[in-house]
Amino acid sequence: MNDENDENDTDFDLRAAMATALADRAGAWALVRGFAAYWGEPLGPRDGFTDAELDAAEQRLGLRLPPALREAYRLFGRRADLTSCQDVLLTPDELHVLDGALVYRAENQGCAHWGVLLDDLALDDPPTVGRPDLADKSQERWEPWEERFSTAAAVMAMSEKLLEDDELTDFLESEAELPVTFGELPRFGRDCRWYEGPDVLVQAVGDAWIAVRARTPEALDALREAVPGDWLNG
């Protein structure tokens, strides 16, 4: 990372970026750019799929991809650290239709899928839906997920980065009481809460688990000491 990027990284205000991301898809993409640079590596011109690849998917499927979906795929669709550390963003040639929805993402063991209803594909930034994989297939239904695809994509980028397998992340299977120095960020994403502390970002999903990413190994060690528990990588 060059000096110019280092200087810009120090100016990233995640709280403000999350609030802006909730307003429109331009804000969501700004969040992804800032988040990627601050918590990992800046986005580059080769981190997305090409228009030709997305056009080919449209031709194969016989449908139009919403602008928000195309923008996300072009911006960071190839960045596995933002799309596929845990669950998987489908590549353009893997996009498919299932029971009235275009499926764009799958849980890593196939236990759930996320999509956009075909009836909503004409919208610029359509709502998304989720569907669990059940033993009784007759009980499976598409249920509302995020109100806008851009929100779902930005939440995906943040969530997947926190689940990356490296020395700056960790995972705890339980509800944790965070230090008082941590501040709660705007609600962003279904069933999850975000907290920011000294060089550390935390995602809490319900009362089940927390995922953590730090900017330095020392910051991660400090959190582990402050929050006792059976840390996955600790």
Side-chain angles (χ1 to χ4, degrees):
M1 192 179 297
N2 60 35
D3 292 341
E4 180 181 356
N5 283 330
D6 287 342
E7 181 179 353
N8 291 339
D9 290 350
T10 62
D11 296 332
F12 181 60
D13 184 339
L14 180 57
R15 179 180 298 275
M18 292 173 76
T20 303
L22 292 170
D24 55 38
R25 69 183 195 269
W29 308 148
L31 168 60
V32 173
R33 289 189 187 93
F35 178 87
Y38 189 81
W39 292 99
E41 294 292 334
L43 295 178
R46 297 183 179 180
D47 287 340
F49 291 96
T50 65
D51 280 320
E53 290 171 302
L54 296 168
D55 291 344
E58 288 186 334
Q59 184 174 9
R60 174 178 59 84
L61 294 164
L63 49 77
R64 169 187 173 274
L65 300 178
L69 187 146
R70 292 185 66 104
E71 291 165 2
Y73 270 74
R74 287 201 309 262
L75 181 63
F76 66 100
R78 291 185 181 275
R79 276 285 293 267
D81 61 320
L82 302 175
T83 64
S84 302
C85 292
Q86 174 72 17
D87 302 325
V88 180
L89 178 71
L90 303 185
T91 62
D93 59 0
E94 292 173 329
L95 295 170
H96 61 276
V97 173
L98 174 65
D99 289 349
L102 175 67
V103 179
Y104 68 87
R105 191 176 183 218
E107 197 270 341
N108 68 330
Q109 295 181 329
C111 296
H113 294 83
W114 293 269
V116 175
L117 295 178
L118 298 184
D119 289 345
D120 291 331
L121 289 182
L123 300 174
D124 287 348
D125 195 2
T128 62
V129 290
R131 179 186 179 112
D133 181 45
L134 303 176
D136 184 354
K137 299 300 181 184
S138 68
Q139 297 301 310
E140 290 185 8
R141 298 286 188 277
W142 288 111
E143 300 291 344
W145 194 252
E146 300 291 353
E147 293 183 359
R148 291 193 300 271
F149 177 86
S150 60
T151 303
V155 172
M156 172 186 66
M158 294 176 61
S159 301
E160 294 296 324
K161 191 64 179 175
L162 267 66
L163 293 169
E164 188 177 19
D165 185 13
D166 69 16
E167 66 173 359
L168 296 177
T169 62
D170 213 338
F171 181 90
L172 183 63
E173 285 192 24
S174 70
E175 183 180 17
E177 184 174 344
L178 297 173
V180 294
T181 53
F182 277 64
E184 185 167 5
L185 295 165
R187 292 301 293 262
F188 193 66
R190 181 185 174 98
D191 298 333
C192 64
R193 303 183 310 281
W194 300 89
Y195 301 87
E196 191 173 33
D199 284 334
V200 177
L201 180 64
V202 175
Q203 180 192 37
V205 177
D207 297 332
W209 53 266
I210 64 171
V212 178
R213 184 168 192 88
R215 284 174 57 80
T216 67
E218 294 76 16
L220 184 56
D221 287 341
L223 176 63
R224 292 188 186 116
E225 292 180 6
V227 182
D230 188 16
W231 288 97
L232 181 64
N233 300 323

